[in-house]
Amino acid sequence: MSYTIEGKTGPWELVIGLEVHAQVISRAKLFSGAATVFGAAPNHQVSFVDAAFPGMLPVINRECVAQAIRTGLGLDAEIHLESRFDRKNYFYADLPAGYQISQYQHPIVGRGVIEIEGADGTTRTIGITRLHLEQDAGKSLHDQHPAKTYIDLNRAGVALMEIVSEPDLRSPEEAGAYLRKLRTILRYLGTCDGNMDEGSMRADVNVSVRKAGEAFRTRCEVKNVNSVRFVMQAIEAEAKRQIAVWEEGGVVSQETRLFEPGRGITRSMRSKEDAHDYRYFPDPDLLPLILDPAWIETLRADLPELPDAKKRRFMAEYGLPAYDAGVLVAEQASAAYFEAVARGRDGKFAANWVIGDLFAALNRTGRSIETSPVSPADLGALLDLITDGTINGRIAKDVFEEMVASGEAPGAIVTRKNLRQVTDTGAIEQAVADVLAANPDKVAEYKAGKDKLFGFFVGQVMKAMAGKGNPALVNDVLRRHLA
Amino acid sequence: MPLDPATVRRIAHLARMHIEDDDIPRLQTELNGILGWVEQLGAVNVEGVKPLTGAADMALRMRDDAVTDGDIAEKILANAPERAGDYFVVPKVVE
Amino acid sequence: MSLIDLTLAQARAGLRAKTFSARDLTAAHLEAITALNPTLNAFITVTPEIALAEAEAADRALAAGTAGPLAGIPLAIKDLFCTEGVRTTAASLMLETFVPPYESTVTAKLRDAGAVFVGKTNLDEFAMGSSNLTSAYGAVTNPWRRAGDDTPLVPGGSSGGSAAAVAARLALGATGTDTGGSIRQPASFCGIVGMKPSYGRCSRYGIIAFASSLDQAGPMARTVEDCAILLGAMAGFDPKDSTSADIPVPDFQAACTRGVKGLRIGVPREYAAPGMPDEIAALWHLGRDILRAAGAEIIDISLPHTEYALPTYYIVAPAEASSNLARYDGVRFGRREDGADLIEMYERTRAKGFGDEVKRRILIGTYVLSAGYYDAYYLRAQKVRSLILGDFTTAFARCDAILTPTAPSAAFAQGEKMDDPIKMYLNDIYTVPASLAGLPAMSVPVGQSQEGLPLGLQMIGRPFDEETVFAVAAEIERAAGFSARPAIRAGVSA
Ligand SMILES: [Mg+2]
Ligand SMILES: [Zn+2]
């Protein structure tokens, strides 16, 4: 697990912390009644409050607070019964009030944890420093006019949760695993859709490098990276840049940078030159947010089973290996699908089909588990047909492909195409006799000791029976005839 | 802690207000006068005192999560100094 | 009696008795505005067509028996309240062309009660000032003159236009806002009554913010009862303002007749600081005598942190203002000056759009919040603010209301006190403590200076106990019998 980057002066360790901005799922904005739906016409989801018109005042949305509490509970974090809103003052074209309402001194959620899993299956606990609620800014479009920037405030005022990790991450892979895990938890909780393409999850990446055993060196913040892949690339690029600076005798200065995916580099952000003096102070338009412990308990009671717990349960209840369980719980929908198939059946058998055949089919057809052409009930029915010997495993693959293509139920396909497994020993005896009679030379070779020809005979018999022979019976009969 | 001209300039820039060089001595005098005067608060013993952020002695009231506003683009843009279609327009921003 | 000399209560009775019509009443006031506003500059915007239409609607409602409590009453609205479709400037060039597409809650309530708005009154720019000299639309002239002296005087501020309009009989009442004394001090300077309610009593929605934790709307009128009637219509819970108090609005008008028998009236010894002019001290004495004679008990109280209120205010208010006024950036509304890039556009817009006093306060506010200075200035000021509130809480365990002078002087001339900002700030020395503590406080004209100018006394109440404040104010008003009138008023001179 000790990832390092080799420099001219030897290996360097990475120290990484992530600040993730996750868009809260809510109908209306954090402090106004305007809608939050993605993709509306410019400035059509804007109220006078969002556009910071004179005399406009913020009023907080209860559901956004609930979502922050749910998320805090899902991260095993302390929920602060009293929190406050501060103003973070800076001028920017898409920040209408000239300040962002955020939580600086007293966030709603304190310390928590996320467990991540390395490629080798080992787990590591990453600390969460805090989670706070804040407003999103609007959107600046720089590519509409050569000399102008266009401003759309639809997103201005949408609730964000800023989730800050401890500087516990040590490699791009760990950062990727952390982000994926966080995304999974948020999606389970229904507090953020985790859609990075639409900007509902964005990461600010804090990176520094050091020699083994050293204290932390100066870090830089790479702003607004919007995919897991880019986060990993940005970390590597920024770490390499810093290593080069140190090794050339320079000093890394704390600054805000931007990742350019196309060029694979980070560059200094001009617009943030004096952004360090945000002049935070308590927002006098708002009052302390005091939470009723009973409300928190209600929210806790309604939490769904979270991925770690579900994974442990899948391993215990269905006898799944850790890997399978991990794959299945990554998305709530696949976990639910799996459970619908596995309930009352063999868990490992069900997992193999879901992870193997079903996921492959979804991949191939570009569908998601939610729009799967094969329902869990039908997949379960298919497994039952195998288990009760109606069809064999070989034929089941064909039936499954047919199900994917047509959506037809497995029983109907088996009947229509007459795919029932043949268990009639007479028919098998006949097919075996025919195959052996047709291949006297092979029989002789087999009997002379070429054991691996047994497979050839099985294949020939199955072919003669159009694949429908019961494999166990075919083996038995063959063995007997060849003995 | 008297303000020097560079601090006056820095504060004006933070507040995004252009000030003429000629105005700096006057502003420096005025601001230092006010700051010197408010510094008498240094004489108050505030140890252990909880800061008062506002005069309203209440907890924050929360509203329901319902869409009750928006879809008034024309009103939002009606006072705009410059617009293009339904966008506000500003001089090019370099990030 | 002419229509413009009526009190609001008398006008209401006259309208209901059909002695005159709302249209006549409004027309008389519009006529007075036409005659006197060129001299007084009390209004930035006059809206005669709207006013007459509203008056006619009031007449119909009165005839139909559906009239609201303020049907047909001509009011002046401080140009800090956003009024839908009517330009709202905050007396700043920044908002010279700003027409709000929405209505403030307080003005909406007044409209719902049937009031007629004759126009938007002048003020110190963004309500920052105590003289009305910082308005981008020119100074307001106080309708009062020193005896035998024609020097134009300031009306006080920031609600100076409202105070001048009411004193000169250009409206029966007006809205003001008070952050550190902006209703009470001009009321005292112009010889009228002004009430700053408890913080949270009137909604701040749609009022252009100066310092959010201090700003409160309130009524200005010629009698205590008129203020009570107006506040009854202005006050009330508003879900659009998170700091609005969700408590019932009592019958303020009824409270005016309660009397003061048995009330304990606190007189804070710290207000009697050396340097209080004799005539102010005498006025304060008179107030005590009046209340004692009416059956109240006068008790000596201490508000030990009084001397720190003003410096506390001049940290807290500019800090909040520096943030509140960041939205005036030339992007979505208001003035814009072109610039080569965004930052230059901001800096030029804000340099041109704001006047000197506003800039001064933005700079101070920015400084006291900036990195390295927050704790020394802003945080310390908030702690002192806490001590000031504590002083009042302790005092109110022993008394029911507090009596003080409203201002340290009578109205001054337009050129005076201009050399040093702090001299100007000292105008609010008696009004600021109640603002910091969020308490209801009111100014009532009680006497005149040696030069014949009006002087007011201030009464301060417990949080949300405006009723006691009205009771005390009404008692003093009755006994003082202040009947002097300003030199410039409608129907007298033009
Ligand atoms: Mg951040
Ligand atoms: Zn943030």
Side-chain angles (χ1 to χ4, degrees):
Chain A
M1 255 208 143
S2 62
Y3 172 96
T4 53
I5 291 179
E6 202 57 32
K8 278 184 283 196
T9 60
W12 291 81
E13 257 178 38
L14 272 60
V15 177
I16 305 153
L18 292 178
E19 291 172 22
V20 173
H21 285 96
Q23 184 180 323
V24 171
I25 295 176
S26 64
R27 290 187 197 93
K29 294 183 180 180
L30 181 55
F31 292 113
S32 91
T36 57
V37 184
F38 182 79
N43 289 307
H44 276 66
Q45 289 181 173
V46 180
S47 74
F48 298 124
V49 177
D50 306 319
F53 270 63
M56 292 299 101
L57 298 170
V59 182
I60 200 165
N61 181 335
R62 183 185 295 104
E63 176 62 9
C64 296
V65 175
Q67 293 286 53
I69 296 170
R70 287 183 190 110
T71 307
L73 294 172
L75 297 175
D76 253 327
E78 36 177 328
I79 308 299
H80 293 155
L81 294 182
E82 176 168 352
S83 65
R84 276 164 199 270
F85 288 93
D86 299 297
R87 292 186 183 177
K88 178 179 182 178
N89 295 283
Y90 64 98
F91 285 87
Y92 202 73
D94 56 26
L95 184 72
Y99 56 82
Q100 177 196 34
I101 305 179
S102 181
Q103 296 188 297
Y104 178 59
Q105 291 250 9
H106 305 279
I108 182 166
V109 175
R111 292 189 168 276
V113 287
I114 284 187
E115 210 164 81
I116 61 166
E117 201 169 294
D120 57 357
T122 54
T123 60
R124 230 159 71 71
T125 301
I126 305 301
I128 301 288
T129 314
R130 60 186 280 166
L131 174 156
H132 67 251
L133 276 170
E134 63 183 25
Q135 301 175 296
D136 203 349
K139 206 164 99 187
S140 295
L141 293 91
H142 306 299
D143 54 1
Q144 306 285 304
H145 187 285
K148 306 279 188 187
T149 291
Y150 287 18
I151 308 293
D152 172 14
L153 298 179
N154 279 347
R155 221 171 58 190
V158 168
L160 300 178
M161 297 178 283
E162 182 173 327
I163 303 163
V164 182
S165 86
E166 293 286 294
D168 286 349
L169 299 160
R170 291 291 175 269
S171 69
E173 287 66 33
E174 282 193 357
Y178 171 88
L179 273 177
R180 281 190 298 267
K181 185 61 175 290
L182 177 59
R183 182 176 179 275
T184 299
I185 293 172
L186 296 176
R187 286 172 56 82
Y188 264 66
L189 291 166
T191 59
C192 171
D193 67 20
N195 192 332
M196 292 189 106
D197 293 338
E198 291 176 1
S200 18
M201 236 178 109
R202 311 182 302 263
D204 298 343
V205 191
N206 287 292
V207 182
S208 67
V209 296
R210 66 174 174 188
K211 294 285 192 168
E214 273 186 359
F216 293 156
R217 296 195 186 201
T218 311
R219 65 187 161 87
C220 289
E221 183 177 16
V222 187
K223 278 266 174 220
N224 261 328
V225 195
N226 60 6
S227 83
V228 175
R229 195 161 56 92
F230 289 163
V231 166
M232 293 168 66
Q233 288 171 4
I235 290 169
E236 199 178 335
E238 177 57 16
K240 285 182 172 159
R241 182 191 72 84
Q242 291 181 15
I243 291 169
V245 171
W246 291 122
E247 291 191 332
E248 277 151 30
V251 172
V252 170
S253 49
Q254 184 163 351
E255 60 175 345
T256 304
R257 301 181 67 85
L258 210 58
F259 179 61
E260 291 193 355
R263 303 164 61 196
I265 57 155
T266 69
R267 65 167 169 86
S268 194
M269 246 176 122
R270 277 216 281 150
S271 58
K272 295 281 177 178
E273 266 163 15
D274 58 1
H276 58 275
D277 200 345
Y278 288 125
R279 288 159 287 135
Y280 285 99
F281 76 109
D283 190 328
D285 286 330
L286 294 163
L287 300 160
L289 180 61
I290 312 287
L291 302 178
D292 177 358
W295 185 40
I296 297 173
E297 287 319 306
T298 312
L299 294 171
R300 190 196 300 278
D302 289 344
L303 285 187
E305 183 183 33
L306 290 172
D308 287 342
K310 203 184 274 291
K311 181 178 166 185
R312 282 194 294 275
R313 184 169 62 79
F314 279 12
M315 292 168 68
E317 200 172 317
Y318 297 105
L320 298 189
Y323 177 81
D324 287 12
V327 169
L328 288 170
V329 304
E331 289 288 342
Q332 216 166 9
S334 14
Y337 190 105
F338 161 74
E339 282 220 89
V341 177
R343 200 162 291 127
R345 301 190 175 95
D346 180 87
K348 178 62 183 149
F349 188 37
N352 287 346
W353 272 89
V354 172
I355 295 171
D357 303 85
L358 179 72
F359 283 5
L362 294 178
N363 234 329
R364 206 170 58 235
T365 55
R367 304 261 217 143
S368 71
I369 194 98
E370 287 89 348
T371 59
S372 169
V374 177
S375 73
D378 281 351
L379 182 54
L382 178 66
L383 300 199
D384 292 344
L385 291 176
I386 303 169
T387 308
D388 67 14
T390 307
I391 56 173
N392 64 38
R394 171 69 203 77
I395 290 292
K397 305 276 176 194
D398 296 341
V399 174
F400 182 73
E401 290 317 315
E402 189 74 30
M403 289 161 74
V404 171
S406 68
E408 211 179 340
I413 296 171
V414 168
T415 307
R416 178 165 56 75
K417 301 187 103 176
N418 189 24
L419 299 173
R420 287 181 161 273
Q421 173 164 247
V422 176
T423 48
D424 166 13
T425 353
I428 296 172
E429 291 276 355
Q430 184 60 56
V432 167
D434 290 351
V435 166
L436 296 186
N439 297 281
D441 45 340
K442 293 267 179 359
V443 173
E445 280 177 53
Y446 178 82
K447 288 191 168 162
K450 207 167 173 190
D451 286 355
K452 62 175 195 256
L453 276 171
F454 190 76
F456 163 79
F457 295 121
V458 173
Q460 290 300 305
V461 173
M462 286 303 249
K463 194 175 165 195
M465 299 186 71
K468 295 184 288 183
N470 176 308
L473 288 177
V474 168
N475 278 10
D476 280 359
V477 175
L478 259 175
R479 252 192 202 99
R480 199 155 23 82
H481 281 255
L482 287 167
Chain B
M1 29 190 147
L3 261 65
D4 56 17
T7 309
V8 175
R9 257 193 216 97
R10 184 176 65 81
I11 294 297
H13 180 67
L14 261 183
R16 294 294 184 269
M17 284 193 307
H18 175 77
I19 46 175
E20 300 292 342
D21 288 347
D22 291 354
D23 285 333
I24 289 183
R26 177 182 56 84
L27 282 169
Q28 201 188 339
T29 309
E30 288 174 358
L31 299 181
N32 275 321
I34 296 167
L35 289 168
W37 172 66
V38 299
E39 261 161 35
Q40 61 182 289
L41 293 190
V44 186
N45 179 7
V46 292
E47 221 181 280
V49 178
K50 208 179 160 211
L52 184 69
T53 50
D57 187 18
M58 305 182 280
L60 192 57
R61 204 175 42 244
M62 294 185 259
R63 54 167 236 280
D64 291 337
D65 181 28
V67 176
T68 55
D69 210 339
D71 210 6
I72 45 167
E74 224 22 75
K75 287 182 173 182
I76 292 290
L77 287 148
N79 280 281
E82 188 179 355
R83 65 183 279 190
D86 286 342
Y87 291 104
F88 294 103
V89 177
V90 297
K92 190 86 163 181
V93 177
V94 185
E95 277 194 326
Chain C
M1 193 183 261
S2 90
L3 292 181
I4 47 174
D5 265 325
L6 299 170
T7 67
L8 194 153
Q10 290 165 340
R12 200 159 72 152
L15 286 168
R16 282 191 159 56
K18 310 277 188 308
T19 314
F20 45 83
S21 69
R23 195 183 197 290
D24 291 344
L25 186 65
T26 294
H29 285 93
L30 289 172
E31 212 174 285
I33 293 169
T34 307
L36 291 184
N37 200 48
T39 310
L40 298 175
N41 198 29
F43 288 86
I44 292 174
T45 304
V46 185
T47 53
E49 295 85 2
I50 296 173
L52 289 171
E54 285 171 350
E56 281 161 14
D59 279 328
R60 286 192 296 275
L62 284 159
T66 57
L70 293 176
I73 300 296
L75 298 180
I77 304 299
K78 186 178 185 179
D79 206 17
L80 200 63
F81 291 79
C82 289
T83 41
E84 187 171 355
V86 175
R87 181 176 76 137
T88 301
T89 68
S92 180
L93 287 180
M94 191 61 96
L95 293 176
E96 196 171 6
T97 59
F98 178 60
V99 179
Y102 48 88
E103 185 83 18
S104 83
T105 296
V106 164
T107 50
K109 280 171 168 282
L110 289 170
R111 274 188 206 287
D112 286 349
V116 171
F117 295 170
V118 292
K120 307 292 293 285
T121 57
N122 207 342
L123 63 148
D124 282 295
E125 184 179 3
F126 282 103
M128 297 178 191
S130 311
S131 64
N132 242 283
L133 297 168
T134 72
S135 168
Y137 301 86
V140 176
T141 298
N142 192 323
W144 292 78
R145 289 284 187 269
R146 290 171 180 146
D149 179 351
D150 245 7
T151 311
L153 306 176
V154 303
S158 65
S159 310
S162 290
V166 171
R169 276 77 178 149
L170 309 186
L172 288 175
T175 61
T177 64
D178 190 315
T179 304
S182 282
I183 286 175
R184 292 160 285 164
Q185 183 254 15
S188 180
F189 277 21
C190 292
I192 64 163
V193 184
M195 149 63 91
K196 179 199 92 76
S198 308
Y199 185 81
R201 181 63 94 180
C202 290
S203 168
R204 293 185 297 113
Y205 178 87
I207 300 172
I208 296 177
F210 161 15
S212 312
S213 77
L214 296 155
D215 296 345
Q216 256 300 293
M220 304 175 84
R222 293 194 289 268
T223 70
V224 174
E225 183 187 32
D226 287 359
C227 276
I229 293 169
L230 281 175
L231 183 59
M234 293 165 72
F237 172 62
D238 181 7
K240 289 189 279 194
D241 174 0
S242 297
T243 61
S244 166
D246 191 1
I247 54 170
V249 178
D251 185 345
F252 299 124
Q253 201 182 351
C256 294
T257 57
R258 276 186 188 178
V260 297
K261 199 180 261 327
L263 287 184
R264 292 159 307 166
I265 307 295
V267 175
R269 68 182 82 115
E270 290 79 6
Y271 280 56
M276 179 183 279
D278 288 345
E279 59 187 13
I280 302 291
L283 187 85
W284 195 11
H285 244 286
L286 174 63
R288 273 175 266 187
D289 292 343
I290 288 173
L291 292 175
R292 199 181 290 113
E297 183 190 348
I298 306 297
I299 60 173
D300 169 61
I301 59 162
S302 173
L303 299 169
H305 296 92
T306 297
E307 63 174 306
Y308 300 112
L310 215 47
T312 298
Y313 176 84
Y314 276 96
I315 291 172
V316 171
E320 292 183 14
S322 71
S323 176
N324 281 335
L325 271 60
R327 67 191 58 200
Y328 305 104
D329 59 5
V331 176
R332 297 163 316 286
F333 45 77
R335 189 184 192 92
R336 170 186 295 192
E337 294 290 321
D338 288 329
D341 58 22
L342 182 67
I343 291 182
E344 198 179 293
M345 186 276 271
Y346 282 157
E347 294 193 335
R348 288 183 190 285
T349 296
R350 292 166 61 79
K352 271 270 166 94
F354 293 138
D356 284 345
E357 180 62 24
V358 171
K359 283 183 197 164
R360 196 148 48 221
R361 297 202 196 189
I362 289 176
L363 290 174
I364 288 285
T366 303
Y367 183 70
V368 299
L369 290 176
S370 69
Y373 300 100
Y374 180 87
D375 287 5
Y377 290 106
Y378 187 73
L379 189 62
R380 176 165 280 268
Q382 283 190 319
K383 289 177 178 173
V384 179
R385 186 175 181 185
S386 195
L387 293 171
I388 290 166
L389 174 63
D391 285 356
F392 280 108
T393 308
T394 306
F396 278 123
R398 295 183 53 229
C399 64
D400 303 299
I402 293 170
L403 183 72
T404 78
T406 305
S409 74
F412 47 89
Q414 289 183 352
E416 291 167 16
K417 304 198 188 192
M418 293 296 286
D419 49 330
D420 176 3
I422 296 167
K423 263 192 207 164
M424 190 65 84
Y425 296 170
L426 289 170
N427 267 293
D428 295 330
I429 191 154
Y430 303 136
T431 48
V432 153
S435 297
L436 290 170
L439 303 171
M442 188 163 193
S443 178
V444 178
V446 172
Q448 285 168 276
S449 69
Q450 283 150 2
E451 296 164 316
L453 297 177
L455 295 171
L457 285 178
Q458 171 180 236
M459 43 279 342
I460 304 169
R462 294 191 180 98
F464 297 102
D465 187 14
E466 284 84 359
E467 290 168 279
T468 299
V469 176
F470 276 118
V472 175
E475 190 66 54
I476 291 185
E477 178 185 53
R478 264 192 301 279
F482 182 88
S483 58
R485 292 172 186 211
I488 304 173
R489 63 178 199 276
V492 176
S493 76

